[in-house]
Amino acid sequence: MEAAWQCTWSETKAFEPSNDFSKPKKYILSMFPFPSGRLHMGHVRNYTLSDAFARYYRQQGFNVLHPIGFDSFGMPAENAAIKNGSHPKGWTYDNIDYMKKEFASLGFSFSQERMLATSDELYTKFEQGFIIDMYEKGLLYRKKGLLNWCPHDLTVLANEQVVDGCCWRCDTPIVKKDMNQYYFKITQYGDELLEDLKKLEGGWPKQVLTMQENWIGKSNGLAFDLFFDEASKAKLGGAFERFDVFTTRPDTIYGVSYTALAPEHPIVSYMIDNGLLDAQSIEQIQEMKNSSSIDRQKEKSGLALGLNVIHPLTNESIPVWIANFVLMDYGSGAVMAVPAHDERDFDFAQKYSLPIHAVIKPAEGEADVSKAYTEAGVLFNSEQFDGINSKEAQSKIIEYFESLKLGQKTTNYKLKDWGVSRQRYWGAPIPFVHCDDCGLVMEKKENLPIALPEDIVITGEGNPLEKHPTWKHCSCPKCGKEALRETDTMDTFVESSWYFLRFCASPENWEREAFSGEQIRYWMGVDHYIGGIEHAILHLLYARFFTKVFRDLGYVSFDEPFEKLLTQGMVLKDGAKMSKSKGNTVDPDALIQKYGADTARLFILFAAPPTQELEWNDSAVEGAFRFLKRFADRSQNVNKSNTIPKIDHASLSKEEKHARKKVYEALKRAQEVYEERYTFNTMIAGVMEAMNALNEQNNREVWSEGYWILTSIMEPIVPHLCWELSHTLFSGKNLGAQSVCEEVFEVEALTLGVSINGKNRATIEVSVTASEEAVIEAAKGAVEKWLEGKEIVKSIVIPGKLVNLVIKG
């Protein structure tokens, strides 16, 4: 049955969006997968969620764009080629073909005509055009930067690929290599990326907004220079007179007891290059450099440089150290250290027996120098600022620095420009040419795409594009002389930063342009974007950045790409995230073969709310399968019809009325779930309650109405069975928007408690139109045996709740 419907949907192009832009629209998008070759249950959850939204909104009459693609460039394909002796392209596209079949087998209603892979040459062509435009706009530049380099594999590694200072693949100690790197100027948009988070409130999870805010890391503070004393200047051969620092805590300025430089700081490099440090110190510095930024924040280590700077206000001499926790990619790579009021500085000072000068104390009480005091308080040992609240002192001390022309108020960001160069083969080539005469030259757009050569050998050592005998040799687009093509490829986050716009190209203009202005205006922004919380920072931040850049380049007219964001929780088994290494994975293909796609879809949405972690449960899968069997079997109680039955509600029995009420309660809940809550588990529970209520009566008209509504509600969740039942029973006419029949919620009778002298004795059922006298008479009749020989002093009716008879005797 499932295969038959999947074939029908494919042949009839049932889920392609319409070009009728007069209709209301919904753009439903899941974060697209890397084509690893097999779907895992996290994929199944993600795409079942988006498919439920897409199918629901089609029923409501919306024009729905529900596309899918493959994030198909990247190191996993290259690593698989190394391991299996295959070609990255062949491996990638074979996997894409397999995953497409898996998508179809799960009944996902994706647009087939707009499917893409980011490694397609056409996608690369448009992307390279955007890169050229960004370069012309000054948003892409090239400079040298320190990168993690594996001397064995001859390639750059991401921080995440450095394990205990070694290459994750060959276990060779990495080195920091100063290399040319292309960067996007994302910092130019730092303020706007931060400010526009307010526009996303209510549509995005608060947790994601907070994570992005912290990642951007805007902080206001004081920037100033620290000058070397004469002896230090002499030691440095006059090459450096000072270095600059930034602090968010100017109120602690009088507590500075040492300063610290990053191991990569230019002053440190100068001392190494000019023999000013011994071999042991250089080895220690190299170890710091080779550690990841995460590891460098754990165990504090450092060494004194034998240099001193002068405190800008007190003129005291302050020692200069190297500290592993100081990073070059934040501020200037140098910090003023106040161990009395910073836990990190305190730990370092204790380890190396450096002075600790307290300058802030609680409003009531004395300073405790046995630990860092980081709360607000009152300044002391701070000259003319003594007695001032520390918060107030921050602005006063900045003003004082500015008045003496020693420093200035400055805004700093943790966010740094985005380095996008990768010395790997399987990625989009960066469209630049190196000419001896003209320098760095953009390729002409008419020559795009600059495609990857396929006749390469993947060994894992170095960049195959560098070693290719002919590919990198070209003519300069400017002067026509012999030149060399750029062999760096782009970070794969570039592809995923604009793919949602690419889907806004109709099949008619797919080849001609990256996206259509008309379609962009109609479809964007994405109404529902669904994916894992692990993409909360990089992908979502980069996509927001690209959208703002494209706006400034005139491609789009909006500021933010995603209206609503749903971050689904992980799928767990035996309390741990599913992974091959743990041996706790569940194969979706095997699940479908045994139970069918509808069972997999029902379980994945019923087992837990989408934002929470989902624990795999084999018995619950069995339970989902049994429910669907019952749902199919009970359809025998339904009369075939092309319209919903008209039912005289007043003439129904109590059980029949209850069944109708439960059916329409399920409908109401479904509407709330899609529009507000996304708690599909409660919606499915409502359908199960309705089925139980239908089972308690045997009116075929009530059954028919119930199935007309329930198959419509369940179609987004279990589409194959619902299409089968709908077309068998109702000629498919019920798979559309449903109206709630309000009469089923009208109360005709009330159940009231009856008490005597406040003690519960019975319950009665009375008409909602019954008079108070009739209610009292019914109550007396229900407790007749307790009234024998008694006098009723008072009868109290509390409407809708109870009758209390006060008696004596």
Side-chain angles (χ1 to χ4, degrees):
M1 181 193 70
E2 289 184 346
W5 280 113
Q6 289 157 12
C7 185
T8 297
W9 295 333
S10 177
E11 289 174 353
T12 60
K13 298 183 177 181
F15 306 122
E16 297 304 326
S18 164
N19 282 332
D20 181 1
F21 295 164
S22 66
K23 295 176 67 177
K25 69 89 183 178
K26 286 290 179 182
Y27 186 173
I28 312 297
L29 183 64
S30 297
M31 295 181 186
F32 61 172
F34 177 79
S36 60
R38 292 289 184 275
L39 292 182
H40 55 67
M41 293 312 300
H43 288 134
V44 175
R45 192 179 199 193
N46 189 351
Y47 304 131
T48 301
L49 282 166
S50 72
D51 199 52
F53 279 109
R55 288 175 176 275
Y56 171 78
Y57 283 115
R58 287 193 196 97
Q59 282 199 27
Q60 308 312 305
F62 285 86
N63 189 9
V64 174
L65 174 59
H66 183 221
I68 192 66
F70 297 90
D71 195 10
S72 49
F73 271 141
M75 285 195 293
E78 209 160 326
N79 292 338
I82 296 165
K83 182 179 179 181
N84 303 321
S86 59
H87 194 287
K89 183 175 182 179
W91 182 87
T92 297
Y93 283 90
D94 284 348
N95 287 345
I96 287 173
D97 288 342
Y98 189 88
M99 291 175 77
K100 284 180 180 178
K101 293 174 184 174
E102 288 189 301
F103 287 152
S105 73
L106 281 156
F108 296 144
S109 62
F110 295 130
S111 165
Q112 301 301 305
E113 294 180 345
R114 304 191 188 210
M115 199 172 285
L116 61 84
T118 58
S119 52
D120 294 343
E121 287 190 12
L122 190 60
Y123 195 92
T124 296
K125 172 186 174 180
F126 294 130
E127 183 169 281
Q128 289 172 337
F130 297 145
I131 296 304
I132 291 170
D133 292 343
M134 291 171 77
Y135 182 74
E136 289 181 328
K137 187 81 171 176
L139 294 172
L140 176 69
Y141 63 93
R142 187 172 185 253
K143 73 168 186 177
K144 281 196 170 183
L146 285 168
L147 305 174
N148 301 317
W149 180 259
C150 175
H152 177 269
D153 291 342
L154 304 178
T155 187
V156 164
L157 303 175
N159 283 337
E160 294 76 14
Q161 296 165 326
V162 179
V163 181
D164 296 327
C166 297
C167 173
W168 66 289
R169 189 170 63 226
C170 66
D171 211 31
T172 303
I174 65 140
V175 296
K176 289 287 186 177
K177 192 170 181 180
D178 202 18
M179 298 174 60
N180 279 311
Q181 168 92 318
Y182 290 89
Y183 294 88
F184 284 135
K185 202 176 286 185
I186 191 172
T187 52
Q188 186 169 313
Y189 288 80
D191 272 334
E192 190 181 356
L193 287 166
L194 187 63
E195 188 65 26
D196 281 0
L197 290 174
K198 295 175 184 174
K199 297 179 180 179
L200 304 175
E201 291 175 0
W204 283 37
K206 288 182 181 179
Q207 181 185 3
V208 175
L209 298 178
T210 300
M211 291 168 75
Q212 290 220 356
E213 183 179 352
N214 292 339
W215 187 263
I216 296 167
K218 181 178 181 179
S219 55
N220 296 311
L222 172 67
F224 62 97
D225 289 333
L226 287 169
F227 287 82
F228 288 110
D229 61 16
E230 293 304 320
S232 300
K233 288 180 189 175
K235 184 173 182 177
L236 293 168
F240 296 92
E241 286 193 347
R242 60 192 172 184
F243 58 86
D244 59 299
V245 296
F246 170 81
T247 179
T248 59
R249 293 293 308 276
D251 51 319
T252 65
I253 186 70
Y254 288 94
V256 176
S257 62
Y258 67 95
T259 66
L261 305 178
E264 300 85 0
H265 197 282
I267 291 172
V268 179
S269 299
Y270 175 86
M271 295 182 76
I272 293 172
D273 295 341
N274 289 274
L276 299 177
L277 295 170
D278 59 39
Q280 186 178 353
S281 296
I282 293 173
E283 184 179 347
Q284 187 178 346
I285 292 167
Q286 199 59 47
E287 286 178 6
M288 293 184 204
K289 287 182 178 181
N290 290 345
S291 298
S292 71
S293 58
I294 296 170
D295 290 336
R296 283 166 61 170
Q297 302 306 307
K298 295 174 183 175
E299 179 66 29
K300 308 293 184 294
S301 67
L303 65 125
L305 286 173
L307 303 172
N308 294 287
V309 291
I310 305 301
H311 192 290
L313 299 182
T314 68
N315 291 321
E316 293 174 352
S317 183
I318 302 169
V320 181
W321 283 65
I322 296 175
N324 65 339
F325 61 77
V326 183
L327 306 176
M328 275 305 297
D329 58 5
Y330 181 69
S332 62
V335 300
M336 68 173 217
V338 187
H341 304 294
D342 183 280
E343 291 174 355
R344 180 193 60 187
D345 297 347
F346 181 86
D347 292 343
F348 191 89
Q350 280 211 316
K351 181 172 182 176
Y352 294 105
S353 301
L354 294 166
I356 298 174
H357 304 316
V359 294
I360 299 174
K361 62 183 179 180
E364 296 181 5
E366 295 303 315
D368 177 8
V369 293
S370 66
K371 59 183 178 181
Y373 179 74
T374 58
E375 305 297 321
V378 176
L379 268 63
F380 72 106
N381 291 336
S382 300
E383 297 183 349
Q384 71 263 41
F385 301 101
D386 285 354
I388 299 177
N389 176 275
S390 57
K391 294 292 184 185
E392 183 184 347
Q394 291 186 4
S395 57
K396 289 186 176 295
I397 289 174
I398 291 174
E399 290 171 6
Y400 186 56
F401 264 80
E402 290 180 331
S403 70
L404 298 175
K405 293 186 168 35
L406 295 175
Q408 60 187 3
K409 184 177 180 179
T410 303
T411 300
N412 213 335
Y413 297 86
K414 289 182 181 176
L415 180 69
K416 295 301 170 190
D417 282 343
W418 173 12
V420 294
S421 302
R422 297 294 179 265
Q423 289 71 37
R424 304 288 295 218
Y425 164 72
W426 191 238
I430 297 175
F432 291 96
V433 170
H434 300 276
C435 175
D436 288 340
D437 291 347
C438 305
L440 186 67
V441 182
M442 295 178 293
E443 186 55 85
K444 293 179 179 178
K445 284 191 177 181
E446 56 264 34
N447 294 336
L448 302 180
I450 307 303
L452 292 169
E454 294 190 24
D455 56 335
I456 46 89
V457 178
I458 303 286
T459 64
E461 295 186 2
N463 183 352
L465 296 177
E466 278 281 358
K467 299 178 179 180
H468 195 278
T470 60
W471 182 83
K472 67 181 179 181
H473 297 283
C474 64
S475 299
C476 173
K478 195 171 184 180
C479 70
K481 293 182 180 178
E482 288 187 5
L484 292 177
R485 196 171 297 290
E486 176 60 68
T487 57
D488 280 0
T489 53
M490 280 186 275
D491 178 7
T492 56
F493 275 113
V494 176
E495 281 83 64
S496 59
S497 294
W498 69 279
Y499 79 108
F500 47 91
L501 298 174
R502 174 62 174 152
F503 289 129
C504 298
S506 64
E508 294 76 29
N509 68 1
W510 193 258
E511 301 279 335
R512 294 195 305 274
E513 54 187 348
F515 39 76
S516 154
E518 182 185 28
Q519 295 229 356
I520 283 279
R521 285 188 293 275
Y522 176 68
W523 290 115
M524 289 298 293
V526 176
D527 295 280
H528 289 279
Y529 195 35
I530 302 156
I533 191 87
E534 66 271 18
H535 301 294
I537 302 221
L538 295 181
H539 162 59
L540 288 169
L541 187 69
Y542 292 156
R544 295 180 62 224
F545 163 63
F546 255 65
T547 299
K548 294 175 190 305
V549 168
F550 279 18
R551 176 202 61 200
D552 292 346
L553 290 172
Y555 304 150
V556 303
S557 59
F558 46 87
D559 302 321
E560 291 290 336
F562 311 123
E563 303 289 337
K564 291 182 179 179
L565 174 68
L566 174 60
T567 52
Q568 92 273 9
M570 292 188 299
V571 180
L572 311 177
K573 192 166 190 285
D574 304 323
K577 181 182 179 181
M578 286 188 182
S579 71
K580 291 179 182 177
S581 62
K582 291 190 178 77
N584 66 344
T585 58
V586 173
D587 182 6
D589 290 350
L591 187 71
I592 293 167
Q593 189 173 359
K594 183 174 182 180
Y595 294 108
D598 282 344
T599 295
R601 294 172 61 121
L602 180 63
F603 165 77
I604 212 83
L605 293 187
F606 184 51
T611 57
Q612 295 179 12
E613 292 178 337
L614 184 157
E615 178 70 36
W616 188 263
N617 185 321
D618 289 329
S619 64
V621 176
E622 287 275 1
F625 180 66
R626 287 195 302 271
F627 172 74
L628 291 181
K629 271 187 66 69
R630 286 197 302 274
F631 195 68
D633 292 343
R634 299 294 189 274
S635 67
Q636 298 172 17
N637 298 320
V638 175
N639 297 325
K640 293 183 179 182
S641 173
N642 287 346
T643 58
I644 191 169
K646 290 189 168 90
I647 296 175
D648 180 8
H649 189 69
S651 65
L652 299 181
S653 69
K654 179 181 176 181
E655 290 76 18
E656 293 163 350
K657 289 177 179 177
H658 179 66
R660 291 193 80 206
K661 181 182 177 184
K662 282 296 178 183
V663 166
Y664 283 103
E665 279 180 354
L667 176 58
K668 275 189 170 183
R669 194 178 297 181
Q671 293 168 346
E672 290 171 1
V673 162
Y674 286 104
E675 303 293 342
E676 301 170 19
R677 300 178 186 171
Y678 314 147
T679 50
F680 292 94
N681 55 317
T682 64
M683 184 190 86
I684 296 166
V687 172
M688 292 177 174
E689 290 172 11
M691 283 294 294
N692 290 338
L694 286 168
N695 263 327
E696 297 298 318
Q697 58 85 51
N698 54 18
N699 185 326
R700 291 185 67 88
E701 288 290 289
V702 173
W703 271 106
S704 302
E705 179 192 44
Y707 262 65
W708 181 282
I709 300 293
L710 295 181
T711 51
S712 176
I713 294 173
M714 290 296 285
E715 187 269 343
I717 314 297
V718 288
H720 307 88
L721 176 57
C722 288
W723 276 61
E724 181 75 14
L725 293 176
S726 172
H727 285 77
T728 300
L729 300 172
F730 311 120
S731 303
K733 301 295 186 183
N734 68 317
L735 297 184
Q738 303 296 330
S739 300
V740 175
C741 180
E742 294 294 345
E743 72 172 349
V744 304
F745 301 108
E746 294 173 4
V747 179
E748 298 177 350
L750 297 173
T751 300
L752 306 179
V754 181
S755 61
I756 298 176
N757 290 348
K759 190 171 184 178
N760 251 351
R761 291 299 186 188
T763 58
I764 58 172
E765 190 171 282
V766 297
S767 168
V768 291
T769 59
S771 65
E772 185 172 303
E773 292 78 9
V775 170
I776 292 171
E777 286 304 312
K780 289 177 183 178
V783 294
E784 193 171 2
K785 66 180 179 179
W786 284 284
L787 298 179
E788 289 180 8
K790 311 293 182 184
E791 179 186 352
I792 299 175
V793 178
K794 194 173 186 181
S795 300
I796 303 167
V797 178
I798 300 177
K801 292 187 177 180
L802 61 85
V803 180
N804 184 34
L805 303 175
V806 181
I807 64 173
K808 69 177 182 177

